Amino acid sequence: MPRIENRCNNPTRPDTPPRLASPRPVPSHTSSSFSQSSRRARAGTEEEEQGPVRAPERERRGQDMRGSSRRPLAAVLAWLRRQPPKVKAFLAVVAGMAALVFIRFIVHDHDNLFVAAEAAHALGIAVLIYKLTKEKTCAGLSLKTQDLTALFLAVRLYCSFVMEYDIHTILDTATLVATLFVIYMMRFKLRSTYMVDKDNFALYYVVLPCFALSFFAHPTTSHNIVNRICWAFCVYLEAVSVLPQLRLMQNTKIVEPFTAHYVFALGVARFLSCAHWVLQVLDTRGRLLTALGYGLWPSMVLLSEIVQTFILADFCYYYVKSVFGGQLVLRLPSGVV
């Protein structure tokens, strides 16, 4: 028989490597789970590596989303800034008329507008008291505006007691007490922080003309002539009492938040008071004007309300623009006052 060689056990044949045992087959479910765990591990490693990078990206995307929500308002404000003064005045009149129409339909008793106006004024005074007591400073506030406010409130209270007594008397009393407290704090407690050089509006520019005008245009009712002149004087003085405050802000060019809130509250109060008179005239079809008297007085009442509203309209525009822009400190451009 021919000899059969055993190649596996023959050490003399180095050219024939030994046969290796075949590996055991891995179950399919084991390999799939291993591949999934590997993918998860790689994904976790990538997230750890990209975490510091993705966090700023997420924050930037959030800012872009917030910015996109403000873009329409920013575009409208930019368009308004480009318009000439006549167009701005026309748009302000249109916006005021639209607001009056809106208020007329949602407020049934228009006497509530006058109460809301005095409440807004009292809220503005409360903001000032908070500023004076917490921050211990009266920087940015006009003492002359507070003096004029106390003067016309005192005269109006006198007229209320001798001519008519209602809820407005109580509100005026509370506002006068708060205003006197503000004057006391500014004149005595916080005198060192008062901007005397910036508060340089001459009071006789407004007090004397208002007093002279009250002799020529005052109510023609059956009340005493002195009371009627006092009534007219407080109406005219209220319309221009905010001018020293606006002059001070124009001198500083920068208005801190609490002062801006106070002046904006005054603007809201003036607008609500003006809306009250205008809507009352419309509802009575002009009979309210004849009830006030004849001559110049009815027209002067409406004119005073409109004037004091438009005096603060420009500031309120910049206030709203600053609030929607996220700016805590209001910066006024030249020519606001």
Side-chain angles (χ1 to χ4, degrees), residues 31-308:
S31 60
S32 62
S33 62
F34 176 76
S35 61
Q36 292 177 0
S37 61
S38 301
R39 285 195 298 269
R40 285 196 297 267
R42 286 195 299 271
T45 304
E46 292 178 357
E47 289 181 357
E48 292 178 358
E49 294 177 353
Q50 298 180 2
V53 180
R54 289 183 178 180
E57 291 181 357
R58 289 194 296 267
E59 184 178 355
R60 186 165 54 253
R61 290 174 183 174
Q63 293 177 356
D64 293 341
M65 293 177 63
R66 291 191 297 268
S68 61
S69 63
R70 294 177 180 175
R71 284 172 187 169
L73 180 61
V76 172
L77 294 176
W79 178 81
L80 285 176
R81 286 195 298 268
R82 294 193 299 267
Q83 303 307 310
K86 292 183 179 179
V87 176
K88 291 181 180 178
F90 173 75
L91 293 176
V93 172
V94 172
M97 295 177 62
L100 286 177
V101 172
F102 178 74
I103 291 175
R104 185 177 185 181
F105 281 102
I106 65 172
V107 180
H108 301 288
D109 188 0
H110 296 151
D111 287 335
N112 294 331
L113 293 176
F114 201 78
V115 177
E118 295 183 348
H121 189 184
L123 180 62
I125 298 295
V127 171
L128 287 190
I129 294 177
Y130 180 85
K131 169 188 170 67
L132 297 176
T133 55
K134 295 299 182 180
E135 297 191 354
K136 303 298 182 181
T137 178
C138 61
L141 295 180
S142 172
L143 180 60
K144 295 181 179 180
T145 286
Q146 301 305 315
D147 291 337
L148 293 178
T149 302
L151 179 58
F152 83 74
L153 284 174
V155 176
R156 191 161 70 186
L157 271 177
Y158 165 76
C159 295
S160 297
F161 280 117
V162 300
M163 301 174 69
E164 57 180 359
Y165 185 86
D166 50 14
I167 184 63
H168 308 304
T169 306
I170 301 175
L171 294 175
D172 284 341
T173 302
T175 306
L176 177 60
V177 171
T179 303
L180 292 176
F181 176 77
V182 171
I183 294 174
Y184 168 76
M185 293 291 292
M186 294 180 66
R187 196 176 294 275
F188 300 103
K189 295 293 185 179
L190 305 174
R191 181 71 180 182
S192 59
T193 61
Y194 172 50
M195 298 179 176
V196 183
D197 55 334
K198 302 296 183 181
D199 195 11
N200 54 8
F201 190 91
L203 292 183
Y204 57 83
Y205 284 157
V206 293
V207 176
L208 294 181
C210 291
F211 187 70
L213 186 60
S214 62
F215 277 91
F216 296 98
H218 54 262
T220 57
T221 58
S222 59
H223 299 90
N224 185 276
I225 182 63
V226 176
N227 299 336
R228 287 182 284 153
I229 292 176
C230 290
W231 186 4
F233 174 70
C234 72
V235 170
Y236 300 145
L237 189 61
E238 181 185 9
V240 294
S241 61
V242 76
L243 287 180
Q245 179 65 58
L246 295 180
R247 178 64 178 272
L248 186 148
M249 293 188 301
Q250 184 61 46
N251 291 336
T252 58
K253 294 294 190 300
I254 298 177
V255 186
E256 57 86 28
F258 286 108
T259 304
H261 299 337
Y262 162 68
V263 178
F264 181 73
L266 291 184
V268 173
R270 299 294 193 267
F271 174 75
L272 292 175
S273 179
C274 181
H276 164 261
W277 283 103
V278 172
L279 294 179
Q280 286 287 82
V281 172
L282 294 177
D283 290 344
T284 59
R285 299 183 183 275
R287 292 191 299 271
L288 178 64
L289 296 179
T290 58
L292 293 175
Y294 54 87
L296 293 176
W297 172 244
S299 301
M300 293 303 297
V301 171
L302 291 179
L303 182 61
S304 299
E305 297 292 338
I306 295 173
V307 165
Q308 63 182 337

